[in-house]
Amino acid sequence: MHLITEYHASSADHETKFEGHLELELEDDKVWLFHVGLFGITKQYINDVGEPAGFDIDILNAVCRIAGKNCKTVYDVTTNCVHSVGKEPPRGGFGMMAGWYEGCIGWRVTTERKLFFDFSDEYEKSITQVFVSLPGNPGNFDYRDLTGKKIGFVDGFSSSEQCVADNYADTIIGADIPPENVVRCPGIDGCIQALRNNEIDAFFISTAVTGGRTDVEVVSELLPSCWPGGCALMARKDSRVLEWFQPALETLMSSSEYGDLQ
């Protein structure tokens, strides 16, 4: 390899240059792994041939093609991207912090998450949030009064109990839900199962996740987002992925292809 013929072990400067060139060369051949959590029908789902699909995946594939990168998706639970315990602030999930993947695609930009992760530009606007129950609302859940109700929240999602307490106290009675009535679910399917088991009365989630689903029913008005930020690629602060992802995303968003994907 040409780089080896130019390497001189006796020169610290040349050694540093060699290591830098080798790092770039290895990075060109790198397989970049991205987490997908299968959020819902339109954003992330498994298609008829058993592969991840949806708007987030379309964005990821287009950006990787523009950047000339070899990208692959890895399905994992969402708590390995962001995790939260009780009313403690959210924190980086184990999968991200351990370097299992370079980033999690389709996550909303929030002030709290910026404390431990970096983000690309937002490729999806801020979205509304809702309370949902089982089809037909068998428990006659009324979101306008949460007093004594057990409410489910997907662990690590920005649609949290703090979001409800901070933003809807003027319109929802009992918006400051006591800890004993907060139920954390390991993913959306976990909340649906909790509904079926009568462990919760409803759960709170963004409309980006509920869109197109037939196993739940929206039982509230569309509530304004708790966060102004939209969805983006969420990456570790020590990762170099945004060095190429961001400019490629800008190229995509300035093209007609971006409009076709929406």
Side-chain angles (χ1 to χ4, degrees), residues 128-131 143-144 171 204 207 218-224:
T128 53
Q129 296 169 133
V130 289
F131 288 91
Y143 79 96
R144 291 165 295 188
T171 56
F204 183 65
T207 50
V218 174
V219 290
S220 72
E221 296 179 0
L222 299 180
L223 300 169

Side-chain angles (χ1 to χ4, degrees), residues 22 29 68 81 83 95 97 100 112 117 120 123 152-153 160 179-180 188 197 200 202 206-207 221 233 238-239 243:
L22 180 59
D29 297 330
C81 285
H83 180 55
M97 304 308 287
W100 293 353
E112 291 176 323
F117 288 137
S120 70
Y123 59 79
F153 299 91
S160 64
E180 62 270 19
I188 300 154
N197 293 342
I200 58 176
S206 88
T207 50
E221 296 179 0
L233 174 69
D238 65 342
S239 173
E243 293 179 12

Side-chain angles (χ1 to χ4, degrees), residues 82 183 252:
V82 177
V183 178
L252 172 65

Side-chain angles (χ1 to χ4, degrees), residues 9-248:
S10 60
S11 170
D13 290 341
H14 284 195
E15 182 176 348
T16 301
K17 184 182 293 186
F18 171 79
E19 290 174 349
H21 283 307
L22 180 59
E23 181 180 353
L24 291 175
E25 181 175 286
L26 291 175
E27 195 166 283
D28 287 340
D29 297 330
K30 177 175 179 175
V31 176
W32 298 81
L33 300 180
F34 295 89
H35 170 281
V36 294
L38 307 182
F39 291 145
I41 297 295
T42 57
K43 282 178 66 64
Q44 298 178 20
Y45 63 94
I46 296 296
N47 62 19
D48 293 338
V49 295
E51 297 176 345
F55 181 61
D56 292 333
I57 312 303
D58 292 341
I59 291 289
L60 177 63
N61 289 338
V63 168
C64 291
R65 187 193 72 247
I66 292 169
K69 300 297 182 181
N70 185 9
C71 302
K72 294 186 181 299
T73 57
V74 177
Y75 167 71
D76 201 357
V77 294
T78 55
T79 50
N80 274 330
C81 285
V82 177
H83 180 55
S84 54
V85 178
K87 289 197 173 183
E88 292 181 12
R91 63 198 70 172
F94 188 80
M96 276 281 276
M97 304 308 287
W100 293 353
Y101 14 78
E102 294 295 334
C104 298
I105 191 72
W107 284 72
R108 188 177 299 185
V109 181
T110 71
T111 303
E112 291 176 323
R113 290 173 182 170
K114 283 183 176 181
L115 294 175
F116 45 88
F117 288 137
D118 286 335
F119 289 86
S120 70
D121 282 353
E122 301 161 14
Y123 59 79
E124 186 177 33
K125 300 297 184 181
S126 179
I127 45 186
T128 53
Q129 296 169 133
V130 289
F131 288 91
V132 299
S133 186
L134 294 176
N137 191 15
N140 295 316
F141 175 78
D142 184 356
Y143 79 96
R144 291 165 295 188
D145 187 354
L146 302 181
T147 306
K149 303 295 184 181
K150 289 191 177 294
I151 307 298
F153 299 91
V154 177
D155 190 3
F157 277 26
S158 58
S159 305
S160 64
E161 71 273 19
Q162 200 62 47
C163 164
V164 175
D166 291 347
N167 293 272
Y168 309 132
D170 291 340
T171 56
I172 297 178
I173 300 171
D176 190 5
I177 306 168
E180 62 270 19
N181 287 341
V182 171
V183 178
R184 296 205 171 274
C185 310
I188 300 154
D189 290 339
C191 273
I192 295 175
Q193 191 59 50
L195 280 172
R196 292 170 178 163
N197 293 342
N198 294 316
E199 296 169 358
I200 58 176
D201 296 286
F203 67 93
F204 183 65
I205 199 73
S206 88
T207 50
V209 175
T210 59
R213 297 193 74 121
T214 58
D215 50 358
V216 294
E217 179 178 320
V218 174
V219 290
S220 72
E221 296 179 0
L222 299 180
L223 300 169
S225 173
C226 296
W227 305 96
C231 293
L233 174 69
M234 185 171 66
R236 294 192 320 277
K237 289 183 177 291
D238 65 342
S239 173
R240 299 184 63 179
V241 65
L242 291 179
E243 293 179 12
W244 60 263
F245 190 96
Q246 176 61 33

